[in-house]
Amino acid sequence: MNIFSIINGDTFELTRDNYMEATKKQYPYYQKIKGKKSTSYFAICPACKNPINIVNLIEKQYEEKKTHKIRTHGRHHKNNVKGLAIYNQQNYDNCPLHNPIAFRLNEIRNDDAFNNVLLKIIQDNNNKIIRDIREITGIYFKNTYLNQIIKEYISARNYRYTHTNKFNIPYCILYAQQALDLFGQKINTDTSNIGALICEAISQNSNFFTVTDNQIMKKPDISSYVNISLMVSHHVIRGEHQFIRIRVNESCDNIVDTIFKRQIEMRQYIYD
């Protein structure tokens, strides 16, 4: 996971600096464990409140088997951590960060209290959700456009789907939404890897569109009605890792071509 909590309940994005600042590099987050020579680093899972071990904080400890990435992340620690948290197996089994639910638009959660909590989180964090959707897609969608999408999501009560939790809200909104119109939108090629890839794909693969000053526009010689859109689909779970597919399609005369497709790993987002 890419988030962590501390004893007082505050939750942070998991970076080396954030972890050191939040924990003050002190016990019970920094501990010597019997049988281990080096210090172990702990925190609390924001979802199930069980202890987590912070991996790759200082030195290389774990390399992703498929990507070979060495990144700082949290992994559930299935034991008590003195002074920090008592391990609870039931909470672990039901933790959405350990045992996520596959995205399906046909399974409704019949828990009004939980659903109302999610609704309030969405309403209270509208602007942050907009920023997070832009980060996920690499597209600077206009405020009015994303505000309307979030409004429609709330109106349809789509937050009641069982796969939705407080850490995956922007993905759930994108998954439930029909394809997003890209015409006239600007691409983030400065700080977004996915944005740079989409920009390159449009420039190289599109028959009808081009990118001018990072804005998606029709090519000058195109007079037909054409469309370009982004869709989010194909949620995949591999252990505690989740992935979702971003696809860019263009169409003319009801003929649709895919000009970009990429599976990205999902992350957790923090909302108060």
Side-chain angles (χ1 to χ4, degrees):
M1 67 187 72
N2 59 270
I3 54 177
F4 71 98
S5 290
I6 57 176
I7 291 173
N8 69 4
D10 289 346
T11 300
F12 306 88
E13 180 183 359
L14 179 50
T15 66
R16 183 180 297 178
D17 288 343
N18 283 355
Y19 179 79
M20 291 180 174
E21 178 65 25
T23 64
K24 305 300 186 284
K25 301 175 70 173
Q26 294 180 356
Y27 175 90
Y29 306 99
Y30 283 56
Q31 292 197 33
K32 288 282 190 179
I33 301 300
K34 186 177 181 180
K36 293 189 67 176
K37 294 182 179 180
S38 59
T39 299
S40 293
Y41 312 102
F42 296 102
I44 300 170
C45 173
C48 69
K49 311 307 178 185
N50 275 310
I52 59 173
N53 181 226
I54 308 302
V55 181
N56 296 336
L57 182 71
I58 306 297
E59 69 279 351
K60 172 183 173 181
Q61 297 167 299
Y62 177 81
E63 182 176 294
E64 299 289 348
K65 292 181 180 179
K66 289 186 177 293
T67 65
H68 303 292
K69 290 182 180 179
I70 301 168
R71 59 190 178 92
T72 301
H73 63 282
R75 305 176 73 186
H76 284 94
H77 181 77
K78 299 178 69 174
N79 287 292
N80 298 340
V81 175
K82 188 176 180 180
L84 183 65
I86 296 174
Y87 176 74
N88 182 296
Q89 182 68 41
Q90 183 177 1
N91 289 352
Y92 172 75
D93 291 339
N94 295 324
C95 178
L97 304 187
H98 157 65
N99 191 20
I101 297 173
F103 282 20
R104 297 190 184 94
L105 300 180
N106 59 2
E107 295 183 7
I108 298 296
R109 180 192 299 106
N110 294 311
D111 184 336
D112 289 342
F114 191 98
N115 292 337
N116 287 336
V117 168
L118 287 178
L119 172 59
K120 189 173 189 309
I121 289 173
I122 296 168
Q123 292 172 328
D124 291 348
N125 291 273
N126 188 89
N127 291 338
K128 187 176 187 308
I129 292 170
I130 286 176
R131 292 196 299 271
D132 294 337
I133 288 176
R134 288 171 175 161
E135 178 183 279
I136 291 166
T137 61
I139 306 295
Y140 289 123
F141 288 107
K142 296 174 183 176
N143 278 342
T144 52
Y145 186 58
L146 290 183
N147 277 323
Q148 183 60 33
I149 285 172
I150 295 171
K151 182 178 179 181
E152 291 172 358
Y153 181 84
I154 291 173
S155 178
R157 303 178 71 194
N158 287 335
Y159 52 85
R160 297 178 302 150
Y161 286 121
T162 55
H163 58 255
T164 310
N165 60 66
K166 65 181 292 186
F167 307 105
N168 67 4
I169 289 170
Y171 297 105
C172 295
I173 292 173
L174 288 168
Y175 189 86
Q177 179 64 27
Q178 66 183 45
L180 281 68
D181 186 8
L182 287 180
F183 179 68
Q185 305 290 354
K186 286 200 168 185
I187 306 177
N188 176 7
T189 58
D190 295 327
T191 61
S192 171
N193 180 59
I194 194 75
L197 291 172
I198 290 173
C199 182
E200 181 181 11
I202 293 173
S203 300
Q204 294 183 356
N205 303 330
S206 176
N207 293 314
F208 312 115
F209 295 90
T210 187
V211 179
T212 304
D213 294 330
N214 285 0
Q215 188 170 23
I216 303 170
M217 305 297 293
K218 281 204 303 186
K219 291 181 177 180
D221 57 339
I222 301 299
S223 58
S224 304
Y225 175 77
V226 292
N227 173 266
I228 185 168
S229 61
L230 179 147
M231 62 177 289
V232 172
S233 62
H234 290 79
H235 177 239
V236 176
I237 300 172
R238 299 190 188 115
E240 292 190 6
H241 296 271
Q242 300 180 68
F243 302 84
I244 205 153
R245 181 182 296 169
I246 291 179
R247 185 194 302 263
V248 175
N249 297 322
E250 66 177 9
S251 62
C252 179
D253 296 330
N254 295 320
I255 299 175
V256 180
D257 289 319
T258 297
I259 60 175
F260 175 81
K261 181 172 65 176
R262 178 62 60 100
Q263 185 183 69
I264 62 169
E265 184 168 1
M266 295 167 58
R267 51 171 299 179
Q268 294 87 42
Y269 287 93
I270 301 169
Y271 301 107
D272 298 325

